[in-house]
Amino acid sequence: MAAISGLIRVMEKAARKAGGRLRRDFGEVEQLQVSRKGPADFVSRADRHAERTLWDELRVARPDWGFVLEEGGTIEGDPRLPRWIIDPLDGTTNFLHGIPHFAISIAVQEPALDGKGADGSGWGDVTAGLVYQPITDESFWAEKARGAWLQDARLRVSGRRQLSEALVATGIPFHGHGNFAEWFAILAQIGPQVAGIRRFGSAALDLAWVAAGRYDGFWESDLQPWDTAAGCLLVREAGGFVTDYRGRSLPICAKQLIAANDPLHSRLHKLVAGALRD
């Protein structure tokens, strides 16, 4: 077992504190005050409270770091220091429908050494990530060059090499979000080749489960950095590959994402590329 660093302990403490409140609110989901943020995109009192709890805890621990928050937007910190990327409740729609599949995602991103970064944002590698599932009390975490872990157990991506044996996860476009034509084209290529496809509604957990070998692969588009920042690091540190649909391995793949072990990633990438060409 790797020694848990002080940084991961800070992240886990914050996630567990926010997660405890989410569990209580989940038990009273029908009483939550819910407001519409956009088409089929809801934000609840529980979501906002969890984000505030995470912000309070992490700001005390690292007062000069900036934040990228799903609800609160970007809060600038010292540009020479890392920043937090946070999704306080990934799987909000599951939460609001009483489906016990949602997570808290926290990632640490470093300033780019060249001041630009691979995507021109001025930010570089993600060096720490944690995905916490409050209902199951599972804490998936990773640090760059230190591996990926579930609590104190080392994570490895699946060893399956054949698509015909692979269970693959995805996210499906829905009202107001995503490109249905693109997704159906990709599904038509991948579906006949694999053992099964799942859509559970939390990209952060999907990526954590790829890192844990529960899923053999994952693809989705039209995500946000807070959905995937921690999960991308988890998969990579578990021995997997994460790229966009063009095969670029960016620090955070969000707009387009393919994740799997080496042989399956290569096969999935070819299928996606073929679907987008046709």
Side-chain angles (χ1 to χ4, degrees):
M1 173 185 171
I4 299 177
S5 70
L7 179 59
I8 293 295
R9 290 189 187 280
V10 164
M11 296 163 69
E12 187 164 34
K13 178 185 175 185
R16 288 185 179 278
K17 186 170 183 178
R21 177 59 184 263
L22 285 177
R23 278 194 300 272
R24 291 192 296 274
D25 284 341
F26 184 69
E28 301 176 2
V29 67
E30 291 183 355
Q31 282 71 50
L32 287 176
Q33 296 174 8
V34 179
S35 60
R36 286 186 180 270
K37 211 169 46 170
D41 187 7
F42 304 103
V43 59
S44 69
R45 184 181 66 197
D47 199 332
R48 293 191 297 269
H49 191 280
E51 184 169 277
R52 181 58 192 237
T53 299
L54 294 168
W55 186 79
D56 286 342
E57 290 289 316
L58 297 174
R59 182 174 57 88
V60 169
R62 300 291 189 274
D64 296 324
W65 290 19
F67 288 80
V68 178
L69 303 162
E70 182 185 12
E71 306 301 338
T74 299
I75 300 172
E76 300 294 345
D78 187 329
R80 299 167 297 178
L81 297 176
R83 66 180 182 177
W84 304 104
I85 302 177
I86 295 173
D87 190 338
L89 178 51
D90 185 51
T92 304
T93 301
N94 283 347
F95 185 94
L96 292 174
H97 285 79
I99 298 171
H101 190 80
F102 51 88
I104 294 167
S105 177
I106 307 171
V108 174
Q109 188 176 27
E110 303 288 334
L113 295 176
D114 62 2
K116 297 179 181 179
D119 59 1
S121 68
W123 291 93
D125 288 344
V126 173
T127 53
L130 182 142
V131 174
Y132 177 63
Q133 189 172 14
I135 298 300
T136 61
D137 194 33
E138 291 180 305
S139 180
F140 303 85
W141 61 272
E143 287 187 279
K144 189 175 181 181
R146 298 191 68 231
W149 304 79
L150 171 53
Q151 264 85 302
D152 58 355
R154 186 70 181 263
L155 296 179
R156 299 285 187 187
V157 292
S158 162
R160 294 185 181 88
R161 303 179 65 85
Q162 303 302 319
L163 282 175
S164 60
E165 302 173 351
L167 181 64
V168 178
T170 188
I172 301 173
F174 55 97
H175 179 57
H177 293 265
N179 184 325
F180 281 90
E182 177 186 272
W183 186 83
F184 278 116
I186 295 172
L187 178 67
Q189 290 287 333
I190 292 178
Q193 305 293 326
V194 298
I197 294 175
R198 299 290 183 268
R199 199 282 187 181
F200 281 4
S202 169
L205 278 174
D206 287 340
L207 289 165
W209 285 16
V210 172
R214 299 176 185 179
Y215 289 143
D216 302 298
F218 173 71
W219 94 88
E220 190 169 353
S221 60
D222 200 36
L223 294 166
Q224 298 294 332
W226 46 80
D227 297 318
T228 66
C232 286
L233 182 66
L234 279 164
V235 173
R236 286 165 174 151
E237 287 297 316
F241 288 81
V242 183
T243 70
D244 65 11
Y245 290 175
R246 295 169 60 186
R248 298 178 301 176
S249 183
L250 302 171
I252 302 172
C253 293
K255 292 299 182 184
Q256 301 172 337
L257 188 154
I258 305 171
N261 65 28
D262 186 7
L264 291 183
H265 184 281
S266 177
R267 292 175 172 85
L268 288 171
H269 179 240
K270 288 179 181 177
L271 291 172
V272 170
L276 298 181
R277 275 197 308 269
D278 294 342

